[in-house]
């Protein structure tokens, strides 16, 4: 089987996903064009050698619809022979794109693939595409569906995580992200977003608040208590009767931020790397997805990671650095417990609580971030994992070349 190598990984800075966010006026296809230009220029890339582009987008409607992957290829002026496909595995879409690209290369059917994702959440809010899971009462009742925030609160209740516990984790994420940003840890991968006139619109992640304190977070009201009272708490308690009442501990300050952003990763074989003069940075050792309970929904990182590690012949302790998407603070705390992880190896530069979660792009962003960090720390192995809507998990294991 052909090795799938990672040659480059770039991303936009993440902009606040509201109308006053720095990236609100930038269309999603233009966010991608900035990155396609960078991948081409940074690697002196003959784009006609790229077989396919695989992009994740969780809300592929409006400007993000009509197969934005192919649209972006043509808008960026890449060779018209480059195909493009857009897919959604909810929050895992960005990493799923990389995993699909890796499998294309590993199979030998394709040699060079660009993978990644985009989400302009200020322009196309989460849920704009509807879907039977949420919109069809018969389907949601069959699934015993509850919103993700209530699932996160269920995890906290079952595991005994207090409001202080999840707030403390959130403060740590903000502090680590601020420190990393100040030290320039993201500068190698971030491509500043420019407008049509070439003026820089945003060159750093916009939502980091290094001065966040637990006292400040303590003033925020739980975000999902009222929603739970509408009947969703009752659904969760029926599914988990050991819960007498759900302790609603999550709010905007200890949950992933809503942001705009995009990311691209260049994946290919050793042979194409030699032909094009591309330097391999990492090798994808294994990938995995799994399904989990769709009610609590967010417990997938543990089993997905174990599945990927088993395929790689590894154990959690063999991994130098972990990126566990910070969808909600309790998700990361639960994943660290399930995998018995050393907290000092997890999200060392902060995560989505501080920098935001541009749904279709996040997994690819995490991959690039951890490869940068492996190089900076001179470490060898990393794992990236995310919880996924509908009760799924995804994981990827990489090692430096």
């Amino acid at each position: 089987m052909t090795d799938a190598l990672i040659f480059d990984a770039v991303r936009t800075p993440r902009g606040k996903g509201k109308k006053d966010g720095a990236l609100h006026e930038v269309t999603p296809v233009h966010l991608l064009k900035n990155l396609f230009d960078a991948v081409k220029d940074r690697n002196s890339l003959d784009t006609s050698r790229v077989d396919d582009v695989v992009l994740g987008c969780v809300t592929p409607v409006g400007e993000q619809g009509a197969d934005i992957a192919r649209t972006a290829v043509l808008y960026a002026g890449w060779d018209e022979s480059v195909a493009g496909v857009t897919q959604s595995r909810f929050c895992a879409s960005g990493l799923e794109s990389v995993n699909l690209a890796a499998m294309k290369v590993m199979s030998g059917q394709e040699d060079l693939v660009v993978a990644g994702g985009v989400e302009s959440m200020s322009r196309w809010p989460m849920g704009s595409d509807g879907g039977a899971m949420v919109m069809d009462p018969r389907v949601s009742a069959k699934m015993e569906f509850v919103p993700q925030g209530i699932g996160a609160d269920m995890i906290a209740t079952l595991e005994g995580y207090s409001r202080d516990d999840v707030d403390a984790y959130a403060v740590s994420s903000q502090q680590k992200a601020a420190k990393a940003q100040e030290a320039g840890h993201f500068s190698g991968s971030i491509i500043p977003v420019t407008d049509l006139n070439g003026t820089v619109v945003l060159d750093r992640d916009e939502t980091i608040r290094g001065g966040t304190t637990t006292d400040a977070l303590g003033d925020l009201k739980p975000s999902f208590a009222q929603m739970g009272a509408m009947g969703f708490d009752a659904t969760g308690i029926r599914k988990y009767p050991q819960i007498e009442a759900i302790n609603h501990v999550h709010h905007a300050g200890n949950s992933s931020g809503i942001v705009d952003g995009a990311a691209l990763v260049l994946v290919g074989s050793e042979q194409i790397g030699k032909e094009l003069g591309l330097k391999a940075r990492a090798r994808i050792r294994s990938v995995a997805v799994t399904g989990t309970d769709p009610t609590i929904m967010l417990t997938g990182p543990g089993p997905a990671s174990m599945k990927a590690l088993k395929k790689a012949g590894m154990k959690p302790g063999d991994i130098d650095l972990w990126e566990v998407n910070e969808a909600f603070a309790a998700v990361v705390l639960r994943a660290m417990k399930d995998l018995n992880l050393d907290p000092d190896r997890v999200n060392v530069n902060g995560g989505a609580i501080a920098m935001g979660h541009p749904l279709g792009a996040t997994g690819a962003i995490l991959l690039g971030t951890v490869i940068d960090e492996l190089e900076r720390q001179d470490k060898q192995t990393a794992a990236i994992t995310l919880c996924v809507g509908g009760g799924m998990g995804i994981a990827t294991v990489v090692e430096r070349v």
Side-chain angles (χ1 to χ4, degrees), residues 358-381:
L359 305 177
T362 301
I365 290 175
L366 297 183
L367 181 82
T369 296
V370 84
I371 291 174
D372 286 344
E373 189 64 19
L374 285 175
E375 292 171 348
R376 192 181 73 82
Q377 292 194 28
D378 194 22
K379 298 289 180 63
Q380 293 301 312
T381 57

Side-chain angles (χ1 to χ4, degrees), residues 225-250:
Q226 184 175 357
M227 194 180 295
M230 296 168 58
F232 290 117
D233 278 6
T235 298
I237 291 169
R238 277 198 308 273
K239 189 72 173 283
Y240 290 85
Q242 64 269 43
I243 298 176
E244 294 183 4
I246 295 175
N247 184 19
H248 290 286
V249 298
H250 288 92

